[in-house]
Amino acid sequence: MPSFDIVSKVDPQTLENAVNTAKKELQTRYDLRDTKGGIDLDKKANLITLTSENDMRVRALEDIVLTRLVKQGIDGTALDFTAQAQASGTMMKKVVKVRAGIDKDAGRKIIKAIKDAKVKVEAQMQDDQVRVSAKKIDELQAAIAVLRRTDVGQPLQFVNMK
C-alpha cells in the first residue's frame, strides 16, 4: 500500500550556518555596533537566544536572524517568536524556539485538511510525524497538493514515498 510521511524538520548544519552569518552581520551593522549580548544557538535544545540592552535591539536581532535563515533556505515559520523578551539584569533576553517535529495541534490540522478535501487517503499521527497511506499513488499526490495549499503554521516536508 503506497504511503508517505509528513515531517517538519530543520537541517542543523544549515541552521548553524545561518546563525553564524547573523553573528557576523551583528558585528558589522552600524546601529548595533556597541551592543552588548548577541545571538547564541543551543543545538541540543533547538533554541536561539537573543540578548541585548533593550527591546528595540532584540527585535532588530530577530530581524537579522530571520533574514539570514530565509537566505539559507530555511522557512521562516520554523521559528517560534511568540515568547516575550524577559529582563535579565540590565539586559533583555528572548528565547526563540526552532520548531522540529509536528506537534499534536498541527497534526490535527493536517489530518482535518486531508479529510475536508475528501481525498481517499488515510492519515494517522505517529510520534512527531503524520503517515498518509492510500491505494493509489495519485491519491497521495492529491493529498500533497492539498497540504501545500494549507497553512499549518510550520514548514512541512514530504518524505519516504513508497
Side-chain angles (χ1 to χ4, degrees), residues 101-138:
I102 297 176
D103 58 347
K104 292 193 184 284
D105 292 336
R108 285 188 201 117
K109 285 181 187 178
I110 291 169
I111 293 170
K112 184 177 183 328
I114 291 172
K115 286 184 179 180
D116 289 347
K118 299 195 187 228
V119 181
K120 294 182 180 180
V121 296
E122 186 177 318
Q124 58 191 13
M125 225 18 225
Q126 292 181 344
D127 294 331
D128 60 347
Q129 66 184 14
V130 177
R131 165 90 28 108
V132 180
S133 57
K135 291 183 179 180
K136 297 181 182 176
I137 291 179
D138 293 339

PDB file of all heavy atoms in Angstrom, residues 101-138:
ATOM      1  N   GLY A 101       9.626  18.711  14.330  1.00  0.00           N
ATOM      2  CA  GLY A 101       8.573  17.726  14.559  1.00  0.00           C
ATOM      3  C   GLY A 101       7.207  18.383  14.493  1.00  0.00           C
ATOM      4  O   GLY A 101       7.066  19.589  14.641  1.00  0.00           O
ATOM      5  N   ILE A 102       6.215  17.565  14.267  1.00  0.00           N
ATOM      6  CA  ILE A 102       4.841  18.057  14.182  1.00  0.00           C
ATOM      7  C   ILE A 102       4.181  17.804  15.521  1.00  0.00           C
ATOM      8  O   ILE A 102       4.095  16.657  15.968  1.00  0.00           O
ATOM      9  CB  ILE A 102       4.083  17.347  13.041  1.00  0.00           C
ATOM     10  CG1 ILE A 102       4.749  17.671  11.707  1.00  0.00           C
ATOM     11  CG2 ILE A 102       2.622  17.744  13.035  1.00  0.00           C
ATOM     12  CD1 ILE A 102       4.156  16.947  10.531  1.00  0.00           C
ATOM     13  N   ASP A 103       3.721  18.885  16.170  1.00  0.00           N
ATOM     14  CA  ASP A 103       3.030  18.711  17.453  1.00  0.00           C
ATOM     15  C   ASP A 103       1.599  18.246  17.210  1.00  0.00           C
ATOM     16  O   ASP A 103       1.137  18.145  16.075  1.00  0.00           O
ATOM     17  CB  ASP A 103       3.079  19.997  18.276  1.00  0.00           C
ATOM     18  CG  ASP A 103       2.456  21.187  17.563  1.00  0.00           C
ATOM     19  OD1 ASP A 103       2.203  21.083  16.354  1.00  0.00           O
ATOM     20  OD2 ASP A 103       2.217  22.208  18.223  1.00  0.00           O
ATOM     21  N   LYS A 104       0.884  17.941  18.277  1.00  0.00           N
ATOM     22  CA  LYS A 104      -0.467  17.368  18.148  1.00  0.00           C
ATOM     23  C   LYS A 104      -1.441  18.317  17.471  1.00  0.00           C
ATOM     24  O   LYS A 104      -2.270  17.888  16.671  1.00  0.00           O
ATOM     25  CB  LYS A 104      -0.975  16.951  19.522  1.00  0.00           C
ATOM     26  CG  LYS A 104      -0.217  15.779  20.102  1.00  0.00           C
ATOM     27  CD  LYS A 104      -0.942  15.205  21.290  1.00  0.00           C
ATOM     28  CE  LYS A 104      -0.161  14.099  21.926  1.00  0.00           C
ATOM     29  NZ  LYS A 104      -0.203  12.862  21.203  1.00  0.00           N
ATOM     30  N   ASP A 105      -1.367  19.619  17.779  1.00  0.00           N
ATOM     31  CA  ASP A 105      -2.288  20.577  17.164  1.00  0.00           C
ATOM     32  C   ASP A 105      -2.074  20.664  15.651  1.00  0.00           C
ATOM     33  O   ASP A 105      -3.032  20.662  14.880  1.00  0.00           O
ATOM     34  CB  ASP A 105      -2.117  21.958  17.794  1.00  0.00           C
ATOM     35  CG  ASP A 105      -2.583  21.994  19.243  1.00  0.00           C
ATOM     36  OD1 ASP A 105      -3.430  21.144  19.604  1.00  0.00           O
ATOM     37  OD2 ASP A 105      -2.106  22.852  19.998  1.00  0.00           O
ATOM     38  N   ALA A 106      -0.815  20.749  15.235  1.00  0.00           N
ATOM     39  CA  ALA A 106      -0.524  20.810  13.802  1.00  0.00           C
ATOM     40  C   ALA A 106      -0.916  19.495  13.126  1.00  0.00           C
ATOM     41  O   ALA A 106      -1.412  19.495  12.002  1.00  0.00           O
ATOM     42  CB  ALA A 106       0.953  21.107  13.576  1.00  0.00           C
ATOM     43  N   GLY A 107      -0.717  18.369  13.811  1.00  0.00           N
ATOM     44  CA  GLY A 107      -1.121  17.077  13.269  1.00  0.00           C
ATOM     45  C   GLY A 107      -2.618  17.002  13.046  1.00  0.00           C
ATOM     46  O   GLY A 107      -3.085  16.481  12.031  1.00  0.00           O
ATOM     47  N   ARG A 108      -3.363  17.553  14.006  1.00  0.00           N
ATOM     48  CA  ARG A 108      -4.827  17.579  13.841  1.00  0.00           C
ATOM     49  C   ARG A 108      -5.231  18.447  12.657  1.00  0.00           C
ATOM     50  O   ARG A 108      -6.153  18.102  11.901  1.00  0.00           O
ATOM     51  CB  ARG A 108      -5.475  18.100  15.122  1.00  0.00           C
ATOM     52  CG  ARG A 108      -5.482  17.087  16.229  1.00  0.00           C
ATOM     53  CD  ARG A 108      -6.303  17.581  17.413  1.00  0.00           C
ATOM     54  NE  ARG A 108      -5.898  16.864  18.592  1.00  0.00           N
ATOM     55  CZ  ARG A 108      -5.348  17.400  19.675  1.00  0.00           C
ATOM     56  NH1 ARG A 108      -5.167  18.699  19.738  1.00  0.00           N
ATOM     57  NH2 ARG A 108      -5.002  16.658  20.697  1.00  0.00           N
ATOM     58  N   LYS A 109      -4.562  19.595  12.482  1.00  0.00           N
ATOM     59  CA  LYS A 109      -4.865  20.471  11.351  1.00  0.00           C
ATOM     60  C   LYS A 109      -4.594  19.756  10.023  1.00  0.00           C
ATOM     61  O   LYS A 109      -5.369  19.881   9.075  1.00  0.00           O
ATOM     62  CB  LYS A 109      -4.025  21.749  11.413  1.00  0.00           C
ATOM     63  CG  LYS A 109      -4.472  22.742  12.433  1.00  0.00           C
ATOM     64  CD  LYS A 109      -3.585  23.964  12.374  1.00  0.00           C
ATOM     65  CE  LYS A 109      -3.881  24.924  13.497  1.00  0.00           C
ATOM     66  NZ  LYS A 109      -2.971  26.086  13.462  1.00  0.00           N
ATOM     67  N   ILE A 110      -3.494  19.032   9.978  1.00  0.00           N
ATOM     68  CA  ILE A 110      -3.131  18.314   8.750  1.00  0.00           C
ATOM     69  C   ILE A 110      -4.173  17.245   8.439  1.00  0.00           C
ATOM     70  O   ILE A 110      -4.669  17.146   7.307  1.00  0.00           O
ATOM     71  CB  ILE A 110      -1.728  17.685   8.893  1.00  0.00           C
ATOM     72  CG1 ILE A 110      -0.668  18.778   8.921  1.00  0.00           C
ATOM     73  CG2 ILE A 110      -1.449  16.701   7.773  1.00  0.00           C
ATOM     74  CD1 ILE A 110       0.701  18.298   9.326  1.00  0.00           C
ATOM     75  N   ILE A 111      -4.514  16.456   9.437  1.00  0.00           N
ATOM     76  CA  ILE A 111      -5.488  15.378   9.225  1.00  0.00           C
ATOM     77  C   ILE A 111      -6.855  15.951   8.857  1.00  0.00           C
ATOM     78  O   ILE A 111      -7.535  15.440   7.964  1.00  0.00           O
ATOM     79  CB  ILE A 111      -5.564  14.481  10.478  1.00  0.00           C
ATOM     80  CG1 ILE A 111      -4.234  13.729  10.639  1.00  0.00           C
ATOM     81  CG2 ILE A 111      -6.718  13.501  10.388  1.00  0.00           C
ATOM     82  CD1 ILE A 111      -4.081  12.995  11.947  1.00  0.00           C
ATOM     83  N   LYS A 112      -7.254  17.057   9.503  1.00  0.00           N
ATOM     84  CA  LYS A 112      -8.541  17.688   9.196  1.00  0.00           C
ATOM     85  C   LYS A 112      -8.546  18.233   7.765  1.00  0.00           C
ATOM     86  O   LYS A 112      -9.535  18.089   7.045  1.00  0.00           O
ATOM     87  CB  LYS A 112      -8.833  18.809  10.185  1.00  0.00           C
ATOM     88  CG  LYS A 112     -10.193  19.451   9.992  1.00  0.00           C
ATOM     89  CD  LYS A 112     -10.433  20.498  11.061  1.00  0.00           C
ATOM     90  CE  LYS A 112     -11.771  21.153  11.006  1.00  0.00           C
ATOM     91  NZ  LYS A 112     -12.392  21.339   9.747  1.00  0.00           N
ATOM     92  N   ALA A 113      -7.443  18.850   7.332  1.00  0.00           N
ATOM     93  CA  ALA A 113      -7.375  19.378   5.966  1.00  0.00           C
ATOM     94  C   ALA A 113      -7.498  18.263   4.935  1.00  0.00           C
ATOM     95  O   ALA A 113      -8.166  18.418   3.915  1.00  0.00           O
ATOM     96  CB  ALA A 113      -6.068  20.135   5.763  1.00  0.00           C
ATOM     97  N   ILE A 114      -6.883  17.129   5.214  1.00  0.00           N
ATOM     98  CA  ILE A 114      -6.968  15.989   4.287  1.00  0.00           C
ATOM     99  C   ILE A 114      -8.392  15.444   4.247  1.00  0.00           C
ATOM    100  O   ILE A 114      -8.935  15.160   3.178  1.00  0.00           O
ATOM    101  CB  ILE A 114      -5.964  14.890   4.690  1.00  0.00           C
ATOM    102  CG1 ILE A 114      -4.538  15.373   4.446  1.00  0.00           C
ATOM    103  CG2 ILE A 114      -6.217  13.608   3.915  1.00  0.00           C
ATOM    104  CD1 ILE A 114      -3.477  14.454   4.976  1.00  0.00           C
ATOM    105  N   LYS A 115      -9.022  15.326   5.413  1.00  0.00           N
ATOM    106  CA  LYS A 115     -10.394  14.802   5.450  1.00  0.00           C
ATOM    107  C   LYS A 115     -11.381  15.760   4.796  1.00  0.00           C
ATOM    108  O   LYS A 115     -12.316  15.328   4.119  1.00  0.00           O
ATOM    109  CB  LYS A 115     -10.813  14.517   6.883  1.00  0.00           C
ATOM    110  CG  LYS A 115     -10.161  13.274   7.442  1.00  0.00           C
ATOM    111  CD  LYS A 115     -10.660  12.955   8.827  1.00  0.00           C
ATOM    112  CE  LYS A 115      -9.993  11.697   9.346  1.00  0.00           C
ATOM    113  NZ  LYS A 115     -10.439  11.345  10.683  1.00  0.00           N
ATOM    114  N   ASP A 116     -11.190  17.083   5.004  1.00  0.00           N
ATOM    115  CA  ASP A 116     -12.091  18.071   4.408  1.00  0.00           C
ATOM    116  C   ASP A 116     -11.978  18.094   2.885  1.00  0.00           C
ATOM    117  O   ASP A 116     -12.937  18.428   2.194  1.00  0.00           O
ATOM    118  CB  ASP A 116     -11.810  19.462   4.968  1.00  0.00           C
ATOM    119  CG  ASP A 116     -12.250  19.598   6.419  1.00  0.00           C
ATOM    120  OD1 ASP A 116     -13.000  18.704   6.904  1.00  0.00           O
ATOM    121  OD2 ASP A 116     -11.852  20.578   7.075  1.00  0.00           O
ATOM    122  N   ALA A 117     -10.808  17.746   2.352  1.00  0.00           N
ATOM    123  CA  ALA A 117     -10.612  17.731   0.905  1.00  0.00           C
ATOM    124  C   ALA A 117     -11.233  16.491   0.266  1.00  0.00           C
ATOM    125  O   ALA A 117     -11.313  16.397  -0.953  1.00  0.00           O
ATOM    126  CB  ALA A 117      -9.133  17.788   0.575  1.00  0.00           C
ATOM    127  N   LYS A 118     -11.675  15.533   1.098  1.00  0.00           N
ATOM    128  CA  LYS A 118     -12.320  14.308   0.642  1.00  0.00           C
ATOM    129  C   LYS A 118     -11.438  13.519  -0.330  1.00  0.00           C
ATOM    130  O   LYS A 118     -11.907  12.970  -1.317  1.00  0.00           O
ATOM    131  CB  LYS A 118     -13.673  14.608   0.026  1.00  0.00           C
ATOM    132  CG  LYS A 118     -14.602  15.261   1.021  1.00  0.00           C
ATOM    133  CD  LYS A 118     -16.018  15.251   0.587  1.00  0.00           C
ATOM    134  CE  LYS A 118     -16.775  16.055   1.561  1.00  0.00           C
ATOM    135  NZ  LYS A 118     -17.811  15.883   2.189  1.00  0.00           N
ATOM    136  N   VAL A 119     -10.148  13.504  -0.029  1.00  0.00           N
ATOM    137  CA  VAL A 119      -9.210  12.680  -0.782  1.00  0.00           C
ATOM    138  C   VAL A 119      -9.240  11.294  -0.154  1.00  0.00           C
ATOM    139  O   VAL A 119      -9.305  11.160   1.062  1.00  0.00           O
ATOM    140  CB  VAL A 119      -7.785  13.284  -0.704  1.00  0.00           C
ATOM    141  CG1 VAL A 119      -6.809  12.453  -1.501  1.00  0.00           C
ATOM    142  CG2 VAL A 119      -7.786  14.717  -1.200  1.00  0.00           C
ATOM    143  N   LYS A 120      -9.214  10.266  -0.969  1.00  0.00           N
ATOM    144  CA  LYS A 120      -9.335   8.894  -0.468  1.00  0.00           C
ATOM    145  C   LYS A 120      -7.994   8.392   0.076  1.00  0.00           C
ATOM    146  O   LYS A 120      -7.354   7.513  -0.505  1.00  0.00           O
ATOM    147  CB  LYS A 120      -9.832   7.976  -1.568  1.00  0.00           C
ATOM    148  CG  LYS A 120     -11.244   8.291  -2.004  1.00  0.00           C
ATOM    149  CD  LYS A 120     -11.700   7.326  -3.062  1.00  0.00           C
ATOM    150  CE  LYS A 120     -13.104   7.653  -3.500  1.00  0.00           C
ATOM    151  NZ  LYS A 120     -13.578   6.723  -4.529  1.00  0.00           N
ATOM    152  N   VAL A 121      -7.593   8.996   1.192  1.00  0.00           N
ATOM    153  CA  VAL A 121      -6.361   8.572   1.855  1.00  0.00           C
ATOM    154  C   VAL A 121      -6.647   8.398   3.336  1.00  0.00           C
ATOM    155  O   VAL A 121      -7.656   8.891   3.852  1.00  0.00           O
ATOM    156  CB  VAL A 121      -5.218   9.600   1.661  1.00  0.00           C
ATOM    157  CG1 VAL A 121      -4.826   9.712   0.219  1.00  0.00           C
ATOM    158  CG2 VAL A 121      -5.580  10.937   2.237  1.00  0.00           C
ATOM    159  N   GLU A 122      -5.742   7.714   4.000  1.00  0.00           N
ATOM    160  CA  GLU A 122      -5.857   7.511   5.439  1.00  0.00           C
ATOM    161  C   GLU A 122      -4.652   8.161   6.098  1.00  0.00           C
ATOM    162  O   GLU A 122      -3.507   7.851   5.759  1.00  0.00           O
ATOM    163  CB  GLU A 122      -5.891   6.016   5.742  1.00  0.00           C
ATOM    164  CG  GLU A 122      -6.146   5.705   7.187  1.00  0.00           C
ATOM    165  CD  GLU A 122      -6.233   4.209   7.417  1.00  0.00           C
ATOM    166  OE1 GLU A 122      -6.864   3.508   6.601  1.00  0.00           O
ATOM    167  OE2 GLU A 122      -5.646   3.758   8.411  1.00  0.00           O
ATOM    168  N   ALA A 123      -4.894   9.079   7.053  1.00  0.00           N
ATOM    169  CA  ALA A 123      -3.810   9.791   7.740  1.00  0.00           C
ATOM    170  C   ALA A 123      -3.850   9.448   9.217  1.00  0.00           C
ATOM    171  O   ALA A 123      -4.922   9.377   9.821  1.00  0.00           O
ATOM    172  CB  ALA A 123      -3.966  11.288   7.537  1.00  0.00           C
ATOM    173  N   GLN A 124      -2.672   9.241   9.781  1.00  0.00           N
ATOM    174  CA  GLN A 124      -2.604   8.948  11.212  1.00  0.00           C
ATOM    175  C   GLN A 124      -1.343   9.563  11.802  1.00  0.00           C
ATOM    176  O   GLN A 124      -0.316   9.636  11.160  1.00  0.00           O
ATOM    177  CB  GLN A 124      -2.639   7.445  11.457  1.00  0.00           C
ATOM    178  CG  GLN A 124      -1.533   6.671  10.784  1.00  0.00           C
ATOM    179  CD  GLN A 124      -1.776   5.181  10.842  1.00  0.00           C
ATOM    180  OE1 GLN A 124      -2.852   4.735  11.167  1.00  0.00           O
ATOM    181  NE2 GLN A 124      -0.749   4.412  10.518  1.00  0.00           N
ATOM    182  N   MET A 125      -1.456  10.011  13.047  1.00  0.00           N
ATOM    183  CA  MET A 125      -0.349  10.615  13.778  1.00  0.00           C
ATOM    184  C   MET A 125       0.577   9.523  14.295  1.00  0.00           C
ATOM    185  O   MET A 125       0.119   8.528  14.839  1.00  0.00           O
ATOM    186  CB  MET A 125      -0.960  11.335  14.956  1.00  0.00           C
ATOM    187  CG  MET A 125      -0.556  12.710  15.365  1.00  0.00           C
ATOM    188  SD  MET A 125       0.282  13.790  14.322  1.00  0.00           S
ATOM    189  CE  MET A 125       1.458  14.339  15.507  1.00  0.00           C
ATOM    190  N   GLN A 126       1.896   9.718  14.110  1.00  0.00           N
ATOM    191  CA  GLN A 126       2.902   8.796  14.645  1.00  0.00           C
ATOM    192  C   GLN A 126       4.024   9.630  15.238  1.00  0.00           C
ATOM    193  O   GLN A 126       4.823  10.203  14.503  1.00  0.00           O
ATOM    194  CB  GLN A 126       3.467   7.890  13.552  1.00  0.00           C
ATOM    195  CG  GLN A 126       2.472   6.912  13.005  1.00  0.00           C
ATOM    196  CD  GLN A 126       3.103   6.021  11.944  1.00  0.00           C
ATOM    197  OE1 GLN A 126       4.170   6.311  11.420  1.00  0.00           O
ATOM    198  NE2 GLN A 126       2.422   4.941  11.618  1.00  0.00           N
ATOM    199  N   ASP A 127       4.072   9.697  16.562  1.00  0.00           N
ATOM    200  CA  ASP A 127       5.071  10.486  17.285  1.00  0.00           C
ATOM    201  C   ASP A 127       5.070  11.934  16.789  1.00  0.00           C
ATOM    202  O   ASP A 127       4.130  12.656  17.037  1.00  0.00           O
ATOM    203  CB  ASP A 127       6.458   9.864  17.189  1.00  0.00           C
ATOM    204  CG  ASP A 127       6.534   8.517  17.888  1.00  0.00           C
ATOM    205  OD1 ASP A 127       5.778   8.330  18.863  1.00  0.00           O
ATOM    206  OD2 ASP A 127       7.334   7.671  17.468  1.00  0.00           O
ATOM    207  N   ASP A 128       6.131  12.346  16.087  1.00  0.00           N
ATOM    208  CA  ASP A 128       6.211  13.723  15.610  1.00  0.00           C
ATOM    209  C   ASP A 128       6.097  13.811  14.088  1.00  0.00           C
ATOM    210  O   ASP A 128       6.643  14.706  13.463  1.00  0.00           O
ATOM    211  CB  ASP A 128       7.510  14.372  16.087  1.00  0.00           C
ATOM    212  CG  ASP A 128       8.739  13.634  15.582  1.00  0.00           C
ATOM    213  OD1 ASP A 128       8.584  12.506  15.080  1.00  0.00           O
ATOM    214  OD2 ASP A 128       9.836  14.194  15.692  1.00  0.00           O
ATOM    215  N   GLN A 129       5.360  12.881  13.495  1.00  0.00           N
ATOM    216  CA  GLN A 129       5.105  12.900  12.064  1.00  0.00           C
ATOM    217  C   GLN A 129       3.708  12.359  11.780  1.00  0.00           C
ATOM    218  O   GLN A 129       3.070  11.787  12.646  1.00  0.00           O
ATOM    219  CB  GLN A 129       6.150  12.077  11.315  1.00  0.00           C
ATOM    220  CG  GLN A 129       6.111  10.590  11.614  1.00  0.00           C
ATOM    221  CD  GLN A 129       7.235   9.849  10.914  1.00  0.00           C
ATOM    222  OE1 GLN A 129       8.165  10.455  10.425  1.00  0.00           O
ATOM    223  NE2 GLN A 129       7.140   8.535  10.867  1.00  0.00           N
ATOM    224  N   VAL A 130       3.257  12.571  10.560  1.00  0.00           N
ATOM    225  CA  VAL A 130       1.948  12.066  10.127  1.00  0.00           C
ATOM    226  C   VAL A 130       2.186  11.120   8.967  1.00  0.00           C
ATOM    227  O   VAL A 130       2.877  11.471   8.001  1.00  0.00           O
ATOM    228  CB  VAL A 130       1.013  13.223   9.701  1.00  0.00           C
ATOM    229  CG1 VAL A 130      -0.303  12.685   9.174  1.00  0.00           C
ATOM    230  CG2 VAL A 130       0.770  14.173  10.857  1.00  0.00           C
ATOM    231  N   ARG A 131       1.637   9.918   9.057  1.00  0.00           N
ATOM    232  CA  ARG A 131       1.753   8.930   7.988  1.00  0.00           C
ATOM    233  C   ARG A 131       0.460   8.957   7.179  1.00  0.00           C
ATOM    234  O   ARG A 131      -0.631   8.863   7.731  1.00  0.00           O
ATOM    235  CB  ARG A 131       1.992   7.549   8.583  1.00  0.00           C
ATOM    236  CG  ARG A 131       1.795   6.371   7.678  1.00  0.00           C
ATOM    237  CD  ARG A 131       2.967   5.868   6.870  1.00  0.00           C
ATOM    238  NE  ARG A 131       4.307   6.033   7.338  1.00  0.00           N
ATOM    239  CZ  ARG A 131       5.079   5.063   7.799  1.00  0.00           C
ATOM    240  NH1 ARG A 131       4.620   3.847   7.914  1.00  0.00           N
ATOM    241  NH2 ARG A 131       6.322   5.311   8.128  1.00  0.00           N
ATOM    242  N   VAL A 132       0.594   9.076   5.863  1.00  0.00           N
ATOM    243  CA  VAL A 132      -0.549   9.093   4.956  1.00  0.00           C
ATOM    244  C   VAL A 132      -0.416   7.905   4.024  1.00  0.00           C
ATOM    245  O   VAL A 132       0.626   7.704   3.408  1.00  0.00           O
ATOM    246  CB  VAL A 132      -0.606  10.414   4.151  1.00  0.00           C
ATOM    247  CG1 VAL A 132      -1.804  10.421   3.222  1.00  0.00           C
ATOM    248  CG2 VAL A 132      -0.651  11.611   5.076  1.00  0.00           C
ATOM    249  N   SER A 133      -1.480   7.112   3.914  1.00  0.00           N
ATOM    250  CA  SER A 133      -1.445   5.951   3.032  1.00  0.00           C
ATOM    251  C   SER A 133      -2.723   5.913   2.191  1.00  0.00           C
ATOM    252  O   SER A 133      -3.752   6.450   2.591  1.00  0.00           O
ATOM    253  CB  SER A 133      -1.301   4.664   3.844  1.00  0.00           C
ATOM    254  OG  SER A 133      -2.352   4.557   4.771  1.00  0.00           O
ATOM    255  N   ALA A 134      -2.616   5.297   1.028  1.00  0.00           N
ATOM    256  CA  ALA A 134      -3.750   5.193   0.105  1.00  0.00           C
ATOM    257  C   ALA A 134      -3.537   3.986  -0.803  1.00  0.00           C
ATOM    258  O   ALA A 134      -2.474   3.355  -0.783  1.00  0.00           O
ATOM    259  CB  ALA A 134      -3.882   6.464  -0.729  1.00  0.00           C
ATOM    260  N   LYS A 135      -4.547   3.686  -1.603  1.00  0.00           N
ATOM    261  CA  LYS A 135      -4.443   2.561  -2.523  1.00  0.00           C
ATOM    262  C   LYS A 135      -3.682   2.934  -3.786  1.00  0.00           C
ATOM    263  O   LYS A 135      -3.069   2.084  -4.413  1.00  0.00           O
ATOM    264  CB  LYS A 135      -5.834   2.061  -2.896  1.00  0.00           C
ATOM    265  CG  LYS A 135      -6.537   1.398  -1.734  1.00  0.00           C
ATOM    266  CD  LYS A 135      -7.878   0.845  -2.143  1.00  0.00           C
ATOM    267  CE  LYS A 135      -8.545   0.172  -0.945  1.00  0.00           C
ATOM    268  NZ  LYS A 135      -9.853  -0.376  -1.278  1.00  0.00           N
ATOM    269  N   LYS A 136      -3.720   4.222  -4.168  1.00  0.00           N
ATOM    270  CA  LYS A 136      -3.061   4.656  -5.395  1.00  0.00           C
ATOM    271  C   LYS A 136      -2.140   5.833  -5.093  1.00  0.00           C
ATOM    272  O   LYS A 136      -2.427   6.671  -4.238  1.00  0.00           O
ATOM    273  CB  LYS A 136      -4.091   5.098  -6.433  1.00  0.00           C
ATOM    274  CG  LYS A 136      -5.005   3.992  -6.881  1.00  0.00           C
ATOM    275  CD  LYS A 136      -5.986   4.501  -7.917  1.00  0.00           C
ATOM    276  CE  LYS A 136      -6.937   3.394  -8.337  1.00  0.00           C
ATOM    277  NZ  LYS A 136      -7.949   3.881  -9.275  1.00  0.00           N
ATOM    278  N   ILE A 137      -1.062   5.902  -5.836  1.00  0.00           N
ATOM    279  CA  ILE A 137      -0.102   6.988  -5.666  1.00  0.00           C
ATOM    280  C   ILE A 137      -0.715   8.321  -6.082  1.00  0.00           C
ATOM    281  O   ILE A 137      -0.404   9.366  -5.506  1.00  0.00           O
ATOM    282  CB  ILE A 137       1.190   6.694  -6.455  1.00  0.00           C
ATOM    283  CG1 ILE A 137       1.918   5.517  -5.801  1.00  0.00           C
ATOM    284  CG2 ILE A 137       2.101   7.906  -6.514  1.00  0.00           C
ATOM    285  CD1 ILE A 137       3.190   5.107  -6.470  1.00  0.00           C
ATOM    286  N   ASP A 138      -1.628   8.314  -7.054  1.00  0.00           N
ATOM    287  CA  ASP A 138      -2.272   9.552  -7.490  1.00  0.00           C
ATOM    288  C   ASP A 138      -3.046  10.211  -6.351  1.00  0.00           C
ATOM    289  O   ASP A 138      -3.071  11.442  -6.233  1.00  0.00           O
ATOM    290  CB  ASP A 138      -3.226   9.277  -8.662  1.00  0.00           C
ATOM    291  CG  ASP A 138      -2.471   8.846  -9.912  1.00  0.00           C
ATOM    292  OD1 ASP A 138      -1.259   9.141  -9.998  1.00  0.00           O
ATOM    293  OD2 ASP A 138      -3.103   8.220 -10.782  1.00  0.00           O
TER     294      ASP A 138
END
